[in-house]
Amino acid sequence: KFGPMPYTKTAEFPSHGFPDSTQDMTGGPGFAGMAELSRFVDEGGVIVSLDNASQILAETGIIRDLQEANAAGLFHPGSIVNVKVRKTDNPVLYGFPEVFPIFRGNGPLLQTAKYNRDMMLLQYGTKPLKDEEKYNGPILGMPDKKETPAPSEAVKKEAPYVLSGMVRNEQTIIGHGAIFNVPVGTGRVIAFTFDPLH
């Protein structure tokens, strides 16, 4: 908005310019910069986007397979929560257990169509999305056939979503993607919907 501005250490602001400084800090990539990011990934590049940067890539159409998810009433101010690996063979999650904790704040919540759910590498919580749960109700008026689980299928206790902090309306986020691996052109975007640097 105000043109290039320096971000350097001064007497008034001695903490500026650390660890990096520049003489021409400006407000963002603009249309030309977004077009260059799009060209980069289309031609085989890999973009790793964190938190809000993933939402920007989805909103600008660079990753068309992701859209903002409607999570009515979700309040996620900064909590340690459980996530579950969906793609154990993907190198992004190499060495991680199936369920582990992360820190997530009020970041974006993205989703993909059901036929593209294989792009989800990691999900929030341990339960699936509602449209992925197996239907157990009556079918076309047929009598109920109660399936008895095999003895080896012991019911295990579900891991809680929130480990520390608070989340309001957590049921609206459980099952949604935390990390996506989205092919774009001949490249790909690894889109985090949280900041893994926490």
Side-chain angles (χ1 to χ4, degrees):
K1 182 177 179 181
F2 300 109
M5 298 172 62
Y7 183 72
T8 56
K9 181 177 182 176
T10 64
E12 187 179 1
F13 301 105
S15 63
H16 285 190
F18 179 82
D20 295 314
S21 65
T22 180
Q23 291 298 323
D24 60 355
M25 175 74 80
T26 151
F31 293 120
M34 294 308 289
E36 285 301 310
L37 279 176
S38 182
R39 184 187 60 74
F40 169 76
V41 73
D42 278 339
E43 294 177 359
V46 176
I47 297 175
V48 178
S49 58
L50 312 180
D51 207 6
N52 291 321
S54 297
Q55 184 173 14
I56 291 169
L57 294 178
E59 287 177 350
T60 57
I62 292 175
I63 43 179
R64 296 179 188 272
D65 291 316
L66 294 182
Q67 298 82 35
E68 190 169 0
N70 180 17
L74 177 66
F75 181 62
H76 211 300
S79 305
I80 298 172
V81 297
N82 268 324
V83 289
K84 181 180 178 183
V85 175
R86 288 179 65 117
K87 292 286 189 179
T88 56
D89 59 343
N90 191 284
V92 170
L93 295 164
Y94 177 78
F96 282 87
E98 183 184 15
V99 176
F100 62 93
I102 63 161
F103 177 85
R104 185 185 195 281
N106 260 338
L109 186 58
L110 301 174
Q111 66 183 357
T112 187
K114 190 173 182 179
Y115 61 84
N116 276 336
R117 297 262 170 87
D118 62 333
M119 293 179 186
M120 287 172 54
L121 302 180
L122 188 72
Q123 73 170 54
Y124 292 107
T126 56
K127 296 178 185 173
L129 284 165
K130 292 291 182 198
D131 65 357
E132 294 177 336
E133 290 178 355
K134 183 180 175 185
Y135 177 71
N136 289 326
I139 299 174
L140 298 174
M142 299 294 288
D144 282 347
K145 284 175 39 175
K146 299 288 183 194
E147 291 184 17
T148 308
S152 62
E153 294 179 26
V155 178
K156 60 181 180 181
K157 188 176 179 186
E158 199 69 42
Y161 177 63
V162 180
L163 299 174
S164 179
M166 63 83 69
V167 176
R168 188 179 311 136
N169 295 320
E170 68 183 58
Q171 73 280 0
T172 60
I173 191 173
I174 291 175
H176 278 286
I179 304 175
F180 295 88
N181 178 9
V182 185
V184 178
T186 57
R188 68 185 52 257
V189 175
I190 307 295
F192 287 72
T193 61
F194 63 97
D195 187 348
L197 301 179
H198 285 296

